[in-house]
Each structure stands twice: as structure tokens, then as C-alpha cells.
Amino acid sequence: MISEILESLFILWAGKDSYPSDEKTNQNLKLLRNEEWFQRLFSEHTELFLENKELRYIIGAVKLDKVLINPKSKQRFEDDLIHLINIIRKRHN
């Protein structure tokens, strides 16, 4: 079930054939850190954002230029990140 949810999130935000580089992931993290909502998430879950491969994949693969200009997309992306973080945390407990 968890893998199905993660796969759905990957496809939703990244597309099936998108494999982001560490450079792209770090660039997107830097851009997201300008967003107030993301600053709170990042400060609470810094270790996950820096080390979890699934979370980093989503961050790197997302097309931020499209997400951040649309309030609905931005909110949905925030909700999806929170959901993914909760799944990851439950899996590690």
C-alpha cells in the first residue's frame, strides 16, 4: 500500500520518466525554502529532506515553476509533501 501511494505521488508530481539529479533536487530545495509554508516543514523535518531518497526524488522531479505560480497546485503539493512525510515517519517507527 505504501509503495502504491509513493508511486502515485511520484507520477503525479514528476512523471514516469523523470530522474532528477542531486543538483536539481538541491536547487528545488533552495527555491522552496523561499516559501513560508515550506520553511516550517523544512525546519520540522530537515533530516528527512536531506536524507530520504523518496522525499528528495519528489522535490527534485517536481516542476516548481508551474507549481509555485498556481495557488491550488502549491497547496496540493504542500498537502502531498505532508502526507508523504507522515507515511515515511510511520514506516520508520
Side-chain angles (χ1 to χ4, degrees):
M1 168 134 171
I2 291 174
S3 62
E4 292 170 355
I5 293 170
L6 291 174
E7 184 179 336
S8 295
L9 288 174
F10 291 159
I11 292 169
L12 173 68
W13 291 110
K16 287 185 179 180
D17 299 322
S18 183
Y19 295 98
S21 65
D22 280 339
E23 182 180 329
K24 176 67 172 168
T25 300
N26 292 334
Q27 179 184 4
N28 280 359
L29 279 169
K30 186 176 180 179
L31 290 172
L32 282 169
R33 291 189 68 190
N34 292 324
E35 299 290 320
E36 188 175 321
W37 63 268
F38 187 78
Q39 291 170 8
R40 289 188 307 270
L41 264 182
F42 189 82
S43 67
E44 291 175 26
H45 307 286
T46 303
E47 186 175 328
L48 283 180
F49 282 107
L50 297 178
E51 297 176 10
N52 184 274
K53 290 178 183 180
E54 297 155 333
L55 190 56
R56 289 184 58 79
Y57 180 92
I58 291 291
I59 297 292
V62 71
K63 295 177 175 131
L64 281 180
D65 57 332
K66 294 182 180 182
V67 171
L68 296 179
I69 62 170
N70 182 311
K72 285 185 179 182
S73 292
K74 190 187 307 188
Q75 183 62 53
R76 185 167 182 191
F77 185 60
E78 177 183 359
D79 293 343
D80 286 347
L81 283 179
I82 291 168
H83 184 69
L84 180 56
I85 287 167
N86 289 332
I87 290 171
I88 293 166
R89 292 181 71 210
K90 284 180 186 176
R91 190 172 59 193
H92 286 40
N93 287 336

